[in-house]
Amino acid sequence: MAGNMVADHLANLRRTEKDGAILKNVYSVPEKIREIINDHKQQMLQRIKATTTNLAVTSRYSMGILPWLTHSVRPIQSALIRLRSGHNKLNGTISKWDMDTKPNFPHRCTETENASHVLLPCPTYSAAREELKQTLEKLKHPMNVPTLTGINCSIPKHSQQKMAQKLIVFLIKSKLLERI
Ligand SMILES: [Zn+2]
């Protein structure tokens, strides 16, 4: 665009001046545009995050495409998505609309049965969870729902895949796959 060319030309003129103080604070037009776009993206992200409790959204710290671990076996894929979103078939969720379902865990636990409870502290699944726990400890990643379900963006892809494998083993061993 002609405007950009003029602005760049003016910016370059200032760069050629011998006064070093001016040089420091001169941003080119593309730099300014990038800054405006980044600000706008951050504002958009904050606005979107404020409207939801979905971990796949609230765990994000930047906009854009995030590689999403998928699985070719449909029940496993469904379970992964349900764990990430919090919209699952566990009693804590169902009890929100079904008065006959109690929110607590069906076996021996008195805690609300949700994704966070069954993945992390529930003693019913501690044996099934052991391998998953050890894998996270070895990789030095925090044991929390975003990390386990592959939506902690700060974790590299190869680690995500290792954890996903162990998570799937846990879901099968614990028979949670059939309930989530
Ligand atoms: Zn429990």
Side-chain angles (χ1 to χ4, degrees), residues 34-79:
R34 215 175 304 133
E35 202 180 322
I36 292 166
I37 291 172
N38 287 341
D39 277 355
H40 178 70
K41 277 184 182 171
Q42 271 306 318
Q43 282 172 22
M44 280 286 287
L45 181 65
Q46 296 312 323
R47 223 179 299 159
I48 294 166
K49 279 167 88 165
T51 62
T52 181
T53 55
N54 187 330
L55 280 175
V57 178
T58 57
S59 310
R60 295 293 297 266
Y61 53 76
S62 67
M63 294 278 275
I65 295 165
L66 178 70
W68 185 255
L69 282 169
T70 54
H71 203 280
S72 54
V73 178
R74 199 181 152 81
I76 293 175
Q77 175 71 343
S78 301

Side-chain angles (χ1 to χ4, degrees), residues 46-164:
Q46 296 312 323
R47 223 179 299 159
I48 294 166
K49 279 167 88 165
T51 62
T52 181
T53 55
N54 187 330
L55 280 175
V57 178
T58 57
S59 310
R60 295 293 297 266
Y61 53 76
S62 67
M63 294 278 275
I65 295 165
L66 178 70
W68 185 255
L69 282 169
T70 54
H71 203 280
S72 54
V73 178
R74 199 181 152 81
I76 293 175
Q77 175 71 343
S78 301
L80 291 176
I81 290 171
R82 285 173 185 166
L83 284 174
R84 287 164 186 155
S85 70
H87 297 284
N88 49 54
K89 295 188 287 176
L90 296 170
N91 285 4
T93 315
I94 291 179
S95 66
K96 286 178 190 166
W97 63 81
D98 178 8
M99 280 169 67
D100 296 329
T101 303
K102 295 221 162 64
N104 59 330
F105 188 70
H107 308 305
R108 56 186 183 184
C109 234
T110 53
E111 299 291 315
T112 298
E113 191 200 35
N114 53 29
S116 160
H117 177 70
V118 297
L119 287 176
L120 305 170
C122 185
T124 310
Y125 304 123
S126 54
R129 195 187 294 115
E130 198 47 41
E131 215 182 317
L132 178 64
K133 221 177 119 188
Q134 281 174 11
T135 303
L136 264 90
E137 275 167 19
K138 217 183 283 171
L139 293 167
K140 296 191 168 59
H141 293 325
M143 188 85 176
N144 57 37
V145 180
T147 307
L148 283 176
T149 55
I151 50 178
N152 179 346
C153 328
S154 66
I155 289 176
K157 203 179 167 187
H158 61 275
S159 281
Q160 300 273 25
Q161 276 161 351
K162 276 184 204 160
M163 289 190 298

Side-chain angles (χ1 to χ4, degrees), residues 4 6-12 14-15 21-36:
N4 283 351
V6 172
D8 279 342
H9 177 66
L10 288 173
N12 286 333
R14 294 191 70 171
R15 275 196 199 112
I22 293 172
L23 277 172
K24 260 192 241 165
N25 294 319
V26 174
Y27 290 99
S28 69
V29 170
E31 276 171 340
K32 278 183 189 160
I33 292 172
R34 215 175 304 133
E35 202 180 322
I36 292 166

